[in-house]
Amino acid sequence: MRVTLIAVAIALLGAALGDEIPTEDNVLVLSKANFDNVVSTTDFILVEFYAPWCGHCKSLAPEYAKAATKLKEEESPIKLAKVDATQEQELAESYGVRGYPTLKFFKNGNPIDYSGGRQADDIVAWLKKKTGPPAIEITSVEQAKELIAANTVAVFGFFPDQATEKAKAFLAVAGLVDDQVFAIVSDEKIIDELEAQPEDVVLFKNFEEPRVKYEAESFNEDLFKTWVFVQSMPVIVEFSHETASKIFGGQIKYHLLLFLSKKNGDFEKYMEELKPVAKNYRDRIMAVAIDTDEDDHQRILEFFGMKKDEVPSARLIALEQDMAKYKPTSSELNANTIEEFVQSFFAGTLKQHLLSEELPEDWAAKPVKVLVATNFDEVVFDNTKTVLVEFYAPWCGHCKQLAPIYDKLGEHFEKDEDVIIAKMDATANELEHTKITSFPTIKLYTKDNQVREYNGERTLAGLTKFVETNGEGAEPVPSVSEHDEDDEAPARDEL
């Protein structure tokens, strides 16, 4: 009896503590003091670990609150909570938080990583999918209409027989796609009243075309999943913190990027004219509009080597081809030039656009020669020279540490007519034959056109021996590059 009374007392204490949990915009505010109690006594709870200074956290905050409010209004058992990871570092570390925001979903106290979108509807849809059936069973026309009205996107399958191959594929994808609501209708009377036919699949949305029917002859999981992704996005998607994860994480790996200025009226001037072209190719290439007035988007311009005076303009990127970039032959931005640009890309007649800086007049004046994309091959593939090249990034800390050592290396070999010590900014210069993924990368190009990468200690003695022995003199040792030093880096502001 005593044990029972203690258990009741603990439960009452937990309930009392629960009543005192602070909230902000219907989001529970957790700390080390209440975290375990809340998570263990709440069946379903999504927790955001954030930092007050984090830009992506600030962007997420209103959508997160909107999702929490929507779930509360629906009297859902699902709760949303947040933890200031800068104040609760020990708690954040215990859940492996290394970047912000990090979201963890707890189901009966067991955590999994959140993998949904960053907009309120996406958050709600993901949570409902994780806590309920893959597709909602529709039992009345009113229920169907309410579901369509309540969601930005709702995907309906009209299947009197849920044992058909098409119905099975529909339900399988419904279980895989977390960020959209799926519904299934079996009653033929309801199917008829919703102006559908048995075996129809229809996507309802509250933007652009409100009702889109799956029309392709073939229907399988891969095709259907891609169709849902494509049709649930606008014809031209505006790039933002909220849409970035869908743009880069979706099934479409070719992107047509439209660089436009809202302040100059480019969105109004060009978007409507370009939509028909974007719609024609949306199954193969995603059109993305980027507002170049946004400070956060300047890095995208830099990545493409573009300047503000080139806006408005278009570029194309192939994510699965080492982020290969393509530039249209015409600087004009209209439906005809964009259609020709896209057609040329798919026809394979476009040449990859490679970035290059202007060649400095004094590129060879110092012991360490300066290379750019336009003079790289001429200097490096000269079979009368052995050439050591450091591929660096201006912002790279390891490159900055190496700089004085590399300068001394250049001085050491300055009078050797057979050796050239060189460097190239690999963020501003691109080579079709060489892809650089970490900084610094050091490669030796021998007279017989062999390429040997240096993985030894970044010391003057080690680099000197590597050059003097034609790339054979350094024993590989573990090295840390700017690309792969994440284990030692502080928590980051992540998308």
Side-chain angles (χ1 to χ4, degrees), residues 53-97:
W53 46 258
C54 158
H56 296 306
C57 302
K58 292 175 183 177
S59 297
L60 175 63
E63 295 296 320
Y64 200 68
K66 197 185 300 182
T69 301
K70 184 175 183 180
L71 290 167
K72 183 178 180 180
E73 289 172 349
E74 294 176 358
E75 299 182 353
S76 170
I78 306 168
K79 305 298 180 186
L80 268 64
K82 62 182 180 180
V83 174
D84 182 346
T86 65
Q87 296 296 318
E88 304 290 345
Q89 293 184 19
E90 185 179 339
L91 180 60
E93 287 173 6
S94 69
Y95 285 98
V97 174

Side-chain angles (χ1 to χ4, degrees), residues 292-360:
T292 56
D293 301 321
E294 292 282 342
D295 290 340
D296 287 350
H297 299 169
Q298 299 314 301
R299 290 168 70 180
I300 305 175
L301 284 170
E302 292 170 10
F303 178 73
F304 283 88
M306 291 177 61
K307 294 181 171 59
K308 277 285 190 79
D309 59 12
E310 293 182 74
V311 176
S313 189
R315 295 291 187 271
L316 198 152
I317 187 166
L319 300 184
E320 294 184 335
Q321 295 176 13
D322 291 321
M323 304 288 279
K325 310 177 187 76
Y326 298 86
K327 181 179 179 180
T329 54
S330 172
S331 60
E332 291 186 35
L333 192 63
N334 57 53
N336 290 334
T337 57
I338 292 301
E339 179 133 29
E340 182 181 332
F341 181 37
V342 174
Q343 285 179 346
S344 299
F345 171 74
F346 285 119
T349 58
L350 269 185
K351 191 173 181 181
Q352 187 176 336
H353 177 61
L354 300 169
L355 301 183
S356 180
E357 294 177 294
E358 292 290 327
L359 180 64

Side-chain angles (χ1 to χ4, degrees), residues 434-490:
T434 304
K435 303 300 177 187
I436 303 300
T437 59
S438 62
F439 305 105
T441 292
I442 302 170
K443 293 179 182 286
L444 184 74
Y445 297 81
T446 65
K447 293 180 182 179
D448 58 351
N449 291 326
Q450 298 293 312
V451 183
R452 297 182 175 126
E453 187 163 337
Y454 182 73
N455 292 310
E457 292 185 14
R458 294 175 190 145
T459 62
L460 180 59
L463 288 164
T464 301
K465 186 176 182 181
F466 185 66
V467 175
E468 290 176 342
T469 60
N470 217 27
E472 302 294 342
E475 289 295 324
V477 298
S479 64
V480 180
S481 72
E482 202 76 3
H483 174 75
D484 57 18
E485 66 169 355
D486 289 350
D487 289 343
E488 298 175 12

Side-chain angles (χ1 to χ4, degrees), residues 87-144:
Q87 296 296 318
E88 304 290 345
Q89 293 184 19
E90 185 179 339
L91 180 60
E93 287 173 6
S94 69
Y95 285 98
V97 174
R98 290 187 51 77
Y100 308 118
T102 291
L103 289 91
K104 300 278 185 180
F105 176 60
F106 293 81
K107 186 173 182 179
N108 298 319
N110 298 310
I112 62 168
D113 290 335
Y114 174 79
S115 58
R118 299 295 172 90
Q119 293 176 300
D121 288 343
D122 298 332
I123 295 168
V124 172
W126 190 92
L127 290 169
K128 287 183 176 179
K129 193 64 63 70
K130 292 299 182 185
T131 57
I136 299 166
E137 291 275 356
I138 299 297
T139 57
S140 70
V141 173
E142 291 73 23
Q143 181 194 7

Side-chain angles (χ1 to χ4, degrees), residues 217-234:
E217 289 185 15
S218 298
F219 189 96
N220 58 45
E221 290 182 28
D222 289 338
L223 290 172
F224 179 45
K225 187 177 179 182
T226 300
W227 181 82
V228 170
F229 172 76
V230 169
Q231 295 298 332
S232 64
M233 301 287 277

Side-chain angles (χ1 to χ4, degrees), residues 11 115 177 216 225 250 398 494:
S115 58
V177 177
K225 187 177 179 182
H398 297 301
E494 294 185 341

